[in-house]
Amino acid sequence: QVQLVESGGGLVQPGGSLRLSCAASGSIVSIYTMGWYRQAPGKQRELVADISSDGGTNYADAVKGRFTISRDNAKNMVYLQMNSLKPEDTAVYYCNAKRRFFKVYEYWGQGTQVTVSS
């Protein structure tokens, strides 16, 4: 079973920066689509950004231009660099791994809290 462990969350001031990390068990980062999702209380879980096995990326409109997703295949790590943070970015952030091969294989991390407040 694939395991994903997030780290790097915490309390930051508006306008600040934070980098989230996701460590994956096994060599999956290079072949799975890796993504970051977030969920605030009372709201649906939403895609923040993802990166496919061929390097293509997608970003939610709310974070485009401020967040950057990247991966390090050798370290089996995925990162989310978050700049110019806003209070509305406050949420639990989840790492996700997904691939489609006749059926969908999907895994989730436990989440890490990001709070943006002065």
Side-chain angles (χ1 to χ4, degrees):
Q1 185 177 44
V2 173
Q3 292 183 314
L4 306 172
V5 180
E6 303 95 334
S7 62
L11 175 65
V12 296
Q13 295 183 358
S17 297
L18 199 65
R19 189 181 77 160
L20 304 183
S21 299
C22 174
S25 64
S27 301
I28 69 166
V29 173
S30 63
I31 60 173
Y32 280 62
T33 295
M34 305 299 300
W36 287 97
Y37 292 72
R38 68 185 182 186
Q39 187 169 26
K43 297 183 179 179
Q44 295 181 335
R45 186 173 298 187
E46 64 177 358
L47 173 69
V48 177
D50 64 23
I51 181 166
S52 65
S53 59
D54 65 2
T57 58
N58 292 294
Y59 294 92
D61 289 341
V63 308
K64 196 168 186 177
R66 299 187 296 121
F67 292 9
T68 303
I69 188 170
S70 62
R71 68 186 187 199
D72 186 330
N73 292 341
K75 296 181 178 179
N76 219 27
M77 298 283 290
V78 180
Y79 307 97
L80 184 68
Q81 179 65 46
M82 304 184 293
N83 298 325
S84 302
L85 283 162
K86 304 174 181 180
E88 51 263 44
D89 295 319
T90 297
V92 177
Y93 284 70
Y94 298 90
C95 184
N96 171 270
K98 182 187 293 184
R99 72 178 180 96
R100 293 180 175 88
F101 189 77
F102 299 104
K103 67 176 183 179
V104 175
Y105 299 83
E106 188 170 25
Y107 305 93
W108 294 92
Q110 82 289 346
T112 185
Q113 177 71 48
V114 172
T115 302
V116 184
S117 176
S118 60

